[in-house]
């Protein structure tokens, strides 16, 4: 099976993470899925920001949940990102961002905007939405997310397979909450270590897809087959290097989350690499 490529925070190696430009580039590069992290602003809007604070990714400082949408919208989420590629090879494949980078390269992205982009994109592309925990407003983030998905007609797909949205979290409570209120949405339980009961491949009945970090696959490649025996596809994060891509392909991973969708696609299309030490162009 060839894994489906999910652009992690957009094409985030080549554009600032979670910006509109990062997702537009991911779509141009033929990603099968887009991944985002969401958080609530102080005034109740869902925004695509990974960290608890905006310190790393913007020109401002502060905790996302204490800032209003208006304040967050004034910040520059693009200027921190390096504008030179990691290698000259990338110049062939990825034109550099223009110096006059506009709002779509630097502005805050709301979940609402990202849903718009998804709906305008190819119909097979899925959006993997991760809710972050612990957070000040606990379950409000899932409640607001579901309300938004309902407004966009995305919360009751005909089948889980056909859903444009996949919900994910490391928080078991968050995934359960979504299953309870939107039973037709597919869910991924993310994990970065094998908690009791997970290693055998089974999942609680409120989760559909297993979500191990790629380090767990390196340690236990047969985990993917055991999950498949239990009826679960696997979503693996974050896979940027050639040996890991080969590992995902070899073991039958369904969804591969990567910061470099184009490089990953090229590698998958070039067939299994001769040596696991090979690294991708651009790394
Ligand atoms: O796609 C899952 C992965 O994104 C989880 O880790 O820290 O990048 O959100 P993180
Ligand atoms: Ca994430």
């Amino acid at each position: 099976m060839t894994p489906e490529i999910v652009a992690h925070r957009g094409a985030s190696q080549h554009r600032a993470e979670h910006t509109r430009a990062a997702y537009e580039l991911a779509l141009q590069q033929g990603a099968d899925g887009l991944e985002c992290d969401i958080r609530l602003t102080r005034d109740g809007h869902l925004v695509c920001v990974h960290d608890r604070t905006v310190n790393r990714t913007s020109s401002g400082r502060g905790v996302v949940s204490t800032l209003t949408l208006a304040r967050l919208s004034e910040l520059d989420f693009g200027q921190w990102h390096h504008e030179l590629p990691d290698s000259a090879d990338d110049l062939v494949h990825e034109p550099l961002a223009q110096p006059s980078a506009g709002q779509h390269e630097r502005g805050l992205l709301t979940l609402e905007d990202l849903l718009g982009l998804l709906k305008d994109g190819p119909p097979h592309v899925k959006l993997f939405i991760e809710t972050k925990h612990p957070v000040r407003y606990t379950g409000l983030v899932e409640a607001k997310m579901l309300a938004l998905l309902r407004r966009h007609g995305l919360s009751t797909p005909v089948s889980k397979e056909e859903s444009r949205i996949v919900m994910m979290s490391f928080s078991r409570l968050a995934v359960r909450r979504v299953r309870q209120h939107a039973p037709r949405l597919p869910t991924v339980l993310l994990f970065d270590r094998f908690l009791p009961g997970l290693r055998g491949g089974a999942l609680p009945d409120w989760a559909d897809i297993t979500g191990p970090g790629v380090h767990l696959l390196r340690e236990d490649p047969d985990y993917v087959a055991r999950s498949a025996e239990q009826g679960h596809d696997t979503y693996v994060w974050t896979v940027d290097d050639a040996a890991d891509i080969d590992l995902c392909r070899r073991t039958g991973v369904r969804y591969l989350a990567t910061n470099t969708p184009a490089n990953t696609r090229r590698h998958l299309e070039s067939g299994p690499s001769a040596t696991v030490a090979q690294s991708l162009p651009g790394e």
Side-chain angles (χ1 to χ4, degrees):
M1 179 203 292
T2 303
E4 292 172 43
I5 295 174
V6 179
H8 187 247
R9 311 181 196 175
S12 56
Q13 181 158 314
H14 295 103
R15 297 291 182 273
E17 69 184 53
H18 287 123
T19 56
R20 187 176 181 89
Y23 291 101
E24 286 173 344
L25 182 60
L27 292 175
Q28 281 164 29
Q29 293 181 345
D32 304 298
L34 308 173
E35 187 263 4
C36 69
D37 304 293
I38 59 167
R39 291 181 176 275
L40 267 180
T41 66
R42 181 175 149 199
D43 48 347
H45 296 273
L46 289 167
V47 292
C48 300
V49 179
H50 176 272
D51 302 358
R52 182 174 158 271
T53 73
V54 294
N55 303 0
R56 176 180 63 89
T57 56
S58 85
S59 53
R61 297 192 70 75
V63 175
V64 177
S65 62
T66 66
L67 300 168
T68 61
L69 181 66
R71 173 65 191 129
L72 286 161
S73 301
E74 290 167 1
L75 303 179
D76 184 334
F77 282 84
Q79 69 173 21
W80 65 278
H81 195 259
H82 59 84
E83 293 194 344
L84 286 175
D86 294 327
S87 95
D89 293 337
D90 274 6
L91 291 171
V92 176
H93 305 292
E94 324 280 0
L96 287 180
Q98 296 304 307
S100 58
Q103 184 62 12
H104 71 302
E105 302 223 353
R106 301 199 153 182
L108 173 79
L109 186 68
T110 63
L111 181 59
E112 176 116 50
D113 289 341
L114 186 52
L115 292 179
L117 199 65
L118 180 79
K119 288 168 88 176
D120 290 343
H124 73 278
V125 172
K126 293 180 187 292
L127 178 61
F128 293 74
I129 306 176
E130 180 183 347
T131 63
K132 288 297 191 192
H133 290 278
V135 285
R136 168 184 302 231
Y137 304 117
T138 60
L140 192 58
V141 65
E142 284 81 29
K144 290 262 187 191
M145 178 193 77
L146 290 177
L148 186 61
L149 294 179
R150 268 183 220 113
R151 281 209 301 282
H152 283 264
L154 292 167
S155 64
T156 52
V158 175
S159 67
K160 286 183 180 162
E161 188 59 34
E162 286 172 74
S163 179
R164 307 262 346 245
I165 303 294
V166 182
M167 182 272 171
M168 316 192 288
S169 192
F170 287 96
S171 160
R172 299 167 78 92
L173 201 57
V175 179
R176 264 169 70 180
R177 234 181 247 134
V178 168
R179 173 51 44 87
Q180 190 184 349
H181 295 287
R184 282 151 80 170
L185 279 186
T187 55
V188 181
L189 178 63
L190 297 169
F191 50 94
D192 57 9
R193 62 200 159 96
F194 283 113
L195 295 167
L198 284 180
R199 200 180 271 276
L203 284 175
D205 61 6
W206 36 261
D208 302 303
I209 300 169
T210 65
V214 69
H215 59 286
L216 297 179
L217 237 62
R218 291 186 205 126
E219 162 198 325
D220 186 359
D222 294 339
Y223 173 72
V224 181
R226 292 198 299 278
S227 311
E229 276 165 24
Q230 301 285 335
H232 302 299
D233 285 331
T234 305
Y235 168 104
V236 177
W237 51 277
T238 303
V239 183
D240 287 337
D241 103 13
D244 287 338
I245 297 170
D246 290 340
L247 175 65
C248 289
R249 172 169 38 199
R250 206 168 52 244
T251 53
V253 166
R254 168 96 189 255
Y255 301 110
L256 179 166
T258 176
N259 298 313
T260 65
N263 290 346
T264 300
R265 170 84 63 212
R266 275 195 297 279
H267 185 73
L268 284 171
E269 287 173 356
S270 70
S273 61
T275 161
V276 291
Q278 178 187 347
S279 62
L280 291 173
E283 295 186 329

